[in-house]
Amino acid sequence: MRDKIMLAENIYWVGKIDDRDVPFHRLTLTKGTTYNSYLLKTEKPTIIDTVDISFGREFVDNLKELIDLQEIKYIVINHTEPDHSGGLGSLAAKAKNAVIVCTEPAVEELKEMYKLHNREFHIVKDGDALDIGGKTLRFLETPYLHTEETMVTYCEEDKILFPCDIFSTHVANYEYFNDMAKEDITEDFKVYYTLIMHPHRKYVQDMIEKIKELQIEIIAPSHGFILRKDVKKFIDIYDNMSKNTVNDKKATIIYSSMTGNTKKIGNLIKENLEMSNISVEVVDVNKRAKEEVISTIINSDAIFFGTSTKYADIIGNLEDILKELKDIKLEGKIAGTFGSYGWSGEAIEVVQDYLKNTDMKVLNTADIIKSTGMTDVLFPIRVRFSPKEENLKQIERASIYVAELLLNAL
Ligand code: FEO
């Protein structure tokens, strides 16, 4: 029987220490890692996150030593990546009475990943609370830290934050708590932040804002050390490292708009970039001299080219500019394409073809997936007619991605 690792009364660590060289997001974690899962043994026993998929059966066998699995009432899944949700398939098969608690975007993923189509889900929204009989869990959505569906869970009575990936370290340690660690963990903590969280640092600031009001005595993440000493110091590290830095990067948005919809997209990109302290100039290509537009491009770090589509082609003077670019030295600059269309949006693709003949880094979805794993940063930005609710998120994600590239975070 394993030692019982207790965080507070009736709260147990039930995870897995993985002290191999662990392959992870095209990296190798040479210090290994842990997959921290927690059992809250209340009147309605609750599991918070599970373990990596390779250890699902072992996880369930260990759990049986602490609780009759039929008694488990809730399984909280803060984040769906299989290093944390991976034990859910094995656990749900045995804990037949358990309801799965997660955010709305997580439901379909979990159903498909673990064949849970007939299972009961309890969907939580930002700020919702759940009475688990003797303890109260509060859920805060933390989208894009580091995937869309993520949330953190806070136990009000014990003042413990369960933030899954956030505030983690990749160290296979047998001490469990940072105050028991043999060495200072600060550097490992910062390395983890830089690798996993920093590319999403706007959302780190949103998360810090949300947890600011909580009294947090322990942070119990899902990798590495449980933080019960210097908690504020570790939150401050995230806060400081994710704050916008002063920079002198400039983006230019050049557009040719037929009815005003492409112009609207350009202005939305501008607003999002400016929130990341990037200075932005917006240029209506039909109202400026060609030489002036080209000079603006040469003096920019990132350039967005936008056009409406009319009769399957670019409109206005934009093509005159694009024709010139292949003969100009533009190495190191980032180029993105956007546009509104009504039928098939061919002009956006024509712009993209022109840009590929320059020496700029031209953004496209496939390359972004390959280099970052982000599946929701879509380039070119294509909007049918005027930008609607669902387009706003796409434009925000694309703009923030470019801002982070300019700030060398990606
Ligand atoms: Fe530790 Fe995003 O998984």
Side-chain angles (χ1 to χ4, degrees), residues 102-269:
C102 62
T103 61
E104 204 273 332
V107 174
E108 270 319 295
E109 293 178 14
L110 295 173
K111 282 185 177 176
E112 290 296 326
M113 288 162 78
Y114 304 109
K115 307 280 177 279
L116 296 170
H117 299 90
N118 299 318
R119 196 70 187 217
E120 185 181 347
F121 280 76
H122 177 72
I123 298 173
V124 292
K125 291 197 163 51
D126 205 34
D128 282 358
L130 182 68
D131 174 3
I132 59 168
K135 295 186 194 291
T136 313
L137 300 182
R138 191 162 295 280
F139 306 99
L140 297 171
E141 293 182 75
T142 53
Y144 306 109
L145 289 184
H146 59 111
T147 49
E148 186 187 1
E149 82 299 337
T150 53
M151 64 175 187
V152 299
T153 300
Y154 177 67
C155 178
E156 294 189 340
E157 289 75 9
D158 297 288
K159 302 182 174 52
I160 301 177
L161 183 71
F162 298 92
C164 202
D165 272 343
I166 307 165
F167 301 121
S168 283
T169 41
H170 277 315
V171 179
N173 76 90
Y174 290 85
E175 294 85 39
Y176 304 99
F177 298 94
N178 69 321
D179 54 317
M180 311 283 283
K182 294 190 184 88
E183 296 171 356
D184 185 356
I185 70 160
T186 308
E187 207 41 47
D188 288 317
F189 183 84
K190 286 182 178 174
V191 167
Y192 180 97
Y193 167 82
T194 304
L195 285 175
I196 311 295
M197 295 295 156
H198 195 66
H200 313 276
R201 63 206 183 95
K202 174 196 178 293
Y203 304 102
V204 172
Q205 281 294 311
D206 294 346
M207 178 273 296
I208 299 273
E209 196 57 35
K210 283 189 186 184
I211 67 167
K212 208 161 67 180
E213 303 306 322
L214 305 177
Q215 281 187 289
I216 301 172
E217 290 183 358
I218 299 177
I219 297 177
S222 291
H223 294 293
F225 290 96
I226 298 163
L227 309 171
R228 64 180 180 187
K229 181 177 170 238
D230 299 332
V231 168
K232 184 175 180 309
K233 174 187 115 174
F234 289 104
I235 295 174
D236 286 347
I237 288 174
Y238 267 48
D239 190 14
N240 292 330
M241 290 182 79
S242 62
K243 283 212 169 102
N244 283 321
T245 47
V246 176
N247 71 87
D248 56 359
K249 301 292 182 185
K250 180 187 172 185
T252 297
I253 297 165
I254 298 169
Y255 71 89
S256 185
S257 188
M258 190 161 58
T259 63
N261 288 332
T262 296
K263 178 180 177 181
K264 267 189 212 161
I265 302 167
N267 283 329
L268 287 166
I269 295 169

Side-chain angles (χ1 to χ4, degrees), residues 24 79 81 83-84 146 165 223:
F24 184 81
H79 171 43
E81 277 206 316
D83 54 331
H84 307 293
H146 59 111
D165 272 343
H223 294 293

